[in-house]
Amino acid sequence: MKIAIVGAGKLGTKLIQTILSGEHSITIIDKKEDVITNLSNHYDVMTMCANAKSRTVLEECDIKSYDYMVAVTGSDESNLLISKVAKKLGCKRTIARVRNPEHIDQLPFLRELMEVDYIVNPDLTTAMQIYKYLAKKYTATTAVFFAGRVSMCSISAAYAKIESGTPVSNIKDILGNIILVAISKKGGKVIIPKSDTVISEDDELFIIGETEQIQTITAKQGKHINETNINNVMLLGGGKTAFFLGKMLLDFGINVKIIDNNRERCQYLSSHLDDAMVLLGDATDLTLLTEENIANMDAVVTCTGFDEENLLLALTAKNYGVSDVIAKISRESYAELIGLMEIDMTINPVSICITNIMRYLHGSADFVASQLIQGQAQILEVLINEKMRICSNKIKNVELPKGTIIGAINRGAEILIPDGNTSFKKGDRVIIVSMLDDVPEIERFFSKK
């Protein structure tokens, strides 16, 4: 495919990294010469230092020959205008990032007016994932795949009579021919298990297997979905993510308190979120947090514009004894550090946005469906074709992305619970589980040869 990317910021650069390994011809357009020079030195892409709002620029790059144009500059208006011009000049499909809350209620109208095929909003999508984790958190998750022939459910380790200290490698000996794809630790943090991961008796285990086997395992437990009992949530930082999340939580009946240090932003939030308590102040001020009863909050979300501040505030909330703490983190370089912390959930807006864009680029032919595990891990269903690099290879011979598990394979009339000797074949439908932030790496892994 020929793909033009307008805007080489954090999102644009990550998109280049994600799709570069596939059979794609990429052109990146940005107004900043130093940014374009840096990209030319690091990536095998065509570059243009120009303003893509100009019709002449788009004509010079022959935009009519492109399959997709992705506009991810820092301006909603520019992204929409560039998309419209590109479409008028013959580009097959356009994608635009639109972040302004004022535009959300009129997205269908804007799509039609500006001829945009797909709109992404990282703040709204991030807020939605946090909302699902908080307001719709499941004590058990059930899902079915392959027309009901494969199922996933959660069971407690204690119910399954799995003793603390049992290694994951022994699970099949206890439960039969199933795959353990995720573990929810005490407090709600989800992890993707490794072969040397050990189980605690208070763990919640997410298992995938043939439906008959899963039903046998869960028949006596009587699992059902329960909604959360969270009543009070504090949002530290009053940006777009806080606005979208606050609105969702208020609509659900949860009490919301927002702290931000920008007076104008606080006034905006107060006028648009009638039932929220909005406070002007420094969220790093421990005296203020104590006065506002952070210790009595059911959950705290740190969503300032700075990763370091969000991590510090998340650790502070944990120190106050808050049960559920979520931090918005955009830098992947912090992943290892975050793994050492007692933060219940971290969410990367860039990764989520990339995932949505990649799914649209792939279309239904490759990535068929996706579901979430407690808002932290993602289940993908992928259709294997002969152009994929992993086709005809055994699982043990391919280097799966870190933290990835193959849960099941549907091959014609056959259901396979895979092991290392199982091969990927053309036409296979494969269930993959990974952490939410790792999904772009999965997209890369299943790209073309």
PDB file of all heavy atoms in Angstrom, residues 155-158 183-186 198-205:
ATOM      1  N   ILE A 155     -11.429 -17.893  36.129  1.00  0.00           N
ATOM      2  CA  ILE A 155     -11.712 -18.660  37.343  1.00  0.00           C
ATOM      3  C   ILE A 155     -10.686 -18.255  38.390  1.00  0.00           C
ATOM      4  O   ILE A 155      -9.580 -17.819  38.062  1.00  0.00           O
ATOM      5  CB  ILE A 155     -11.635 -20.187  37.095  1.00  0.00           C
ATOM      6  CG1 ILE A 155     -10.239 -20.575  36.596  1.00  0.00           C
ATOM      7  CG2 ILE A 155     -12.697 -20.644  36.128  1.00  0.00           C
ATOM      8  CD1 ILE A 155     -10.010 -22.064  36.547  1.00  0.00           C
ATOM      9  N   SER A 156     -11.045 -18.390  39.650  1.00  0.00           N
ATOM     10  CA  SER A 156     -10.090 -18.088  40.714  1.00  0.00           C
ATOM     11  C   SER A 156      -9.162 -19.278  40.896  1.00  0.00           C
ATOM     12  O   SER A 156      -9.562 -20.440  40.743  1.00  0.00           O
ATOM     13  CB  SER A 156     -10.820 -17.786  42.023  1.00  0.00           C
ATOM     14  OG  SER A 156     -11.438 -18.952  42.520  1.00  0.00           O
ATOM     15  N   ALA A 157      -7.913 -18.966  41.194  1.00  0.00           N
ATOM     16  CA  ALA A 157      -6.949 -20.048  41.427  1.00  0.00           C
ATOM     17  C   ALA A 157      -7.387 -20.915  42.607  1.00  0.00           C
ATOM     18  O   ALA A 157      -7.215 -22.137  42.592  1.00  0.00           O
ATOM     19  CB  ALA A 157      -5.565 -19.461  41.679  1.00  0.00           C
ATOM     20  N   ALA A 158      -7.980 -20.271  43.614  1.00  0.00           N
ATOM     21  CA  ALA A 158      -8.437 -21.019  44.783  1.00  0.00           C
ATOM     22  C   ALA A 158      -9.533 -22.006  44.399  1.00  0.00           C
ATOM     23  O   ALA A 158      -9.530 -23.171  44.834  1.00  0.00           O
ATOM     24  CB  ALA A 158      -8.944 -20.056  45.853  1.00  0.00           C
ATOM     25  N   ILE A 183      -3.458 -13.231  33.759  1.00  0.00           N
ATOM     26  CA  ILE A 183      -3.704 -13.365  35.198  1.00  0.00           C
ATOM     27  C   ILE A 183      -4.031 -11.987  35.752  1.00  0.00           C
ATOM     28  O   ILE A 183      -3.296 -11.023  35.510  1.00  0.00           O
ATOM     29  CB  ILE A 183      -2.470 -13.932  35.933  1.00  0.00           C
ATOM     30  CG1 ILE A 183      -2.114 -15.333  35.414  1.00  0.00           C
ATOM     31  CG2 ILE A 183      -2.720 -13.974  37.439  1.00  0.00           C
ATOM     32  CD1 ILE A 183      -0.825 -15.887  35.991  1.00  0.00           C
ATOM     33  N   SER A 184      -5.120 -11.896  36.486  1.00  0.00           N
ATOM     34  CA  SER A 184      -5.456 -10.661  37.190  1.00  0.00           C
ATOM     35  C   SER A 184      -5.005 -10.827  38.636  1.00  0.00           C
ATOM     36  O   SER A 184      -5.528 -11.664  39.376  1.00  0.00           O
ATOM     37  CB  SER A 184      -6.964 -10.391  37.125  1.00  0.00           C
ATOM     38  OG  SER A 184      -7.286  -9.206  37.824  1.00  0.00           O
ATOM     39  N   LYS A 185      -4.016 -10.035  39.019  1.00  0.00           N
ATOM     40  CA  LYS A 185      -3.460 -10.130  40.361  1.00  0.00           C
ATOM     41  C   LYS A 185      -4.369  -9.429  41.369  1.00  0.00           C
ATOM     42  O   LYS A 185      -5.284  -8.701  41.008  1.00  0.00           O
ATOM     43  CB  LYS A 185      -2.062  -9.507  40.413  1.00  0.00           C
ATOM     44  CG  LYS A 185      -1.080 -10.055  39.377  1.00  0.00           C
ATOM     45  CD  LYS A 185      -0.810 -11.530  39.551  1.00  0.00           C
ATOM     46  CE  LYS A 185       0.061 -11.823  40.758  1.00  0.00           C
ATOM     47  NZ  LYS A 185       0.422 -13.264  40.855  1.00  0.00           N
ATOM     48  N   LYS A 186      -4.121  -9.658  42.631  1.00  0.00           N
ATOM     49  CA  LYS A 186      -4.878  -8.994  43.684  1.00  0.00           C
ATOM     50  C   LYS A 186      -4.760  -7.486  43.512  1.00  0.00           C
ATOM     51  O   LYS A 186      -3.673  -6.944  43.381  1.00  0.00           O
ATOM     52  CB  LYS A 186      -4.339  -9.408  45.051  1.00  0.00           C
ATOM     53  CG  LYS A 186      -5.159  -8.883  46.219  1.00  0.00           C
ATOM     54  CD  LYS A 186      -4.612  -9.405  47.539  1.00  0.00           C
ATOM     55  CE  LYS A 186      -5.442  -8.892  48.705  1.00  0.00           C
ATOM     56  NZ  LYS A 186      -4.921  -9.388  50.008  1.00  0.00           N
ATOM     57  N   VAL A 198       4.707 -17.767  38.507  1.00  0.00           N
ATOM     58  CA  VAL A 198       4.071 -18.611  39.515  1.00  0.00           C
ATOM     59  C   VAL A 198       2.735 -18.005  39.921  1.00  0.00           C
ATOM     60  O   VAL A 198       2.550 -16.791  39.893  1.00  0.00           O
ATOM     61  CB  VAL A 198       4.974 -18.799  40.760  1.00  0.00           C
ATOM     62  CG1 VAL A 198       6.239 -19.553  40.395  1.00  0.00           C
ATOM     63  CG2 VAL A 198       5.309 -17.453  41.388  1.00  0.00           C
ATOM     64  N   ILE A 199       1.804 -18.851  40.289  1.00  0.00           N
ATOM     65  CA  ILE A 199       0.429 -18.449  40.580  1.00  0.00           C
ATOM     66  C   ILE A 199       0.234 -18.310  42.088  1.00  0.00           C
ATOM     67  O   ILE A 199       0.773 -19.094  42.873  1.00  0.00           O
ATOM     68  CB  ILE A 199      -0.546 -19.487  40.012  1.00  0.00           C
ATOM     69  CG1 ILE A 199      -0.459 -19.476  38.479  1.00  0.00           C
ATOM     70  CG2 ILE A 199      -1.984 -19.213  40.449  1.00  0.00           C
ATOM     71  CD1 ILE A 199      -1.214 -20.592  37.812  1.00  0.00           C
ATOM     72  N   SER A 200      -0.544 -17.293  42.474  1.00  0.00           N
ATOM     73  CA  SER A 200      -0.958 -17.125  43.867  1.00  0.00           C
ATOM     74  C   SER A 200      -2.418 -17.540  43.991  1.00  0.00           C
ATOM     75  O   SER A 200      -3.186 -17.438  43.034  1.00  0.00           O
ATOM     76  CB  SER A 200      -0.804 -15.670  44.308  1.00  0.00           C
ATOM     77  OG  SER A 200       0.536 -15.245  44.179  1.00  0.00           O
ATOM     78  N   GLU A 201      -2.809 -17.985  45.150  1.00  0.00           N
ATOM     79  CA  GLU A 201      -4.170 -18.516  45.301  1.00  0.00           C
ATOM     80  C   GLU A 201      -5.245 -17.445  45.178  1.00  0.00           C
ATOM     81  O   GLU A 201      -6.406 -17.758  44.916  1.00  0.00           O
ATOM     82  CB  GLU A 201      -4.317 -19.242  46.628  1.00  0.00           C
ATOM     83  CG  GLU A 201      -4.140 -18.367  47.855  1.00  0.00           C
ATOM     84  CD  GLU A 201      -4.322 -19.155  49.146  1.00  0.00           C
ATOM     85  OE1 GLU A 201      -4.371 -20.395  49.094  1.00  0.00           O
ATOM     86  OE2 GLU A 201      -4.434 -18.500  50.198  1.00  0.00           O
ATOM     87  N   ASP A 202      -4.871 -16.158  45.313  1.00  0.00           N
ATOM     88  CA  ASP A 202      -5.864 -15.090  45.137  1.00  0.00           C
ATOM     89  C   ASP A 202      -5.852 -14.521  43.717  1.00  0.00           C
ATOM     90  O   ASP A 202      -6.492 -13.510  43.437  1.00  0.00           O
ATOM     91  CB  ASP A 202      -5.661 -13.968  46.159  1.00  0.00           C
ATOM     92  CG  ASP A 202      -4.250 -13.423  46.171  1.00  0.00           C
ATOM     93  OD1 ASP A 202      -3.445 -13.845  45.316  1.00  0.00           O
ATOM     94  OD2 ASP A 202      -3.948 -12.577  47.042  1.00  0.00           O
ATOM     95  N   ASP A 203      -5.139 -15.179  42.775  1.00  0.00           N
ATOM     96  CA  ASP A 203      -5.133 -14.762  41.369  1.00  0.00           C
ATOM     97  C   ASP A 203      -6.434 -15.145  40.680  1.00  0.00           C
ATOM     98  O   ASP A 203      -7.055 -16.159  41.013  1.00  0.00           O
ATOM     99  CB  ASP A 203      -3.976 -15.417  40.606  1.00  0.00           C
ATOM    100  CG  ASP A 203      -2.624 -14.820  40.961  1.00  0.00           C
ATOM    101  OD1 ASP A 203      -2.602 -13.734  41.568  1.00  0.00           O
ATOM    102  OD2 ASP A 203      -1.606 -15.448  40.615  1.00  0.00           O
ATOM    103  N   GLU A 204      -6.827 -14.324  39.713  1.00  0.00           N
ATOM    104  CA  GLU A 204      -7.927 -14.661  38.803  1.00  0.00           C
ATOM    105  C   GLU A 204      -7.282 -15.082  37.486  1.00  0.00           C
ATOM    106  O   GLU A 204      -6.472 -14.353  36.905  1.00  0.00           O
ATOM    107  CB  GLU A 204      -8.837 -13.453  38.592  1.00  0.00           C
ATOM    108  CG  GLU A 204     -10.160 -13.766  37.941  1.00  0.00           C
ATOM    109  CD  GLU A 204     -11.183 -14.364  38.895  1.00  0.00           C
ATOM    110  OE1 GLU A 204     -10.915 -14.417  40.109  1.00  0.00           O
ATOM    111  OE2 GLU A 204     -12.250 -14.779  38.420  1.00  0.00           O
ATOM    112  N   LEU A 205      -7.628 -16.270  37.007  1.00  0.00           N
ATOM    113  CA  LEU A 205      -6.980 -16.848  35.827  1.00  0.00           C
ATOM    114  C   LEU A 205      -7.897 -16.762  34.616  1.00  0.00           C
ATOM    115  O   LEU A 205      -9.062 -17.188  34.684  1.00  0.00           O
ATOM    116  CB  LEU A 205      -6.615 -18.313  36.089  1.00  0.00           C
ATOM    117  CG  LEU A 205      -5.877 -18.615  37.398  1.00  0.00           C
ATOM    118  CD1 LEU A 205      -5.617 -20.112  37.513  1.00  0.00           C
ATOM    119  CD2 LEU A 205      -4.572 -17.830  37.495  1.00  0.00           C
TER     120      LEU A 205
END
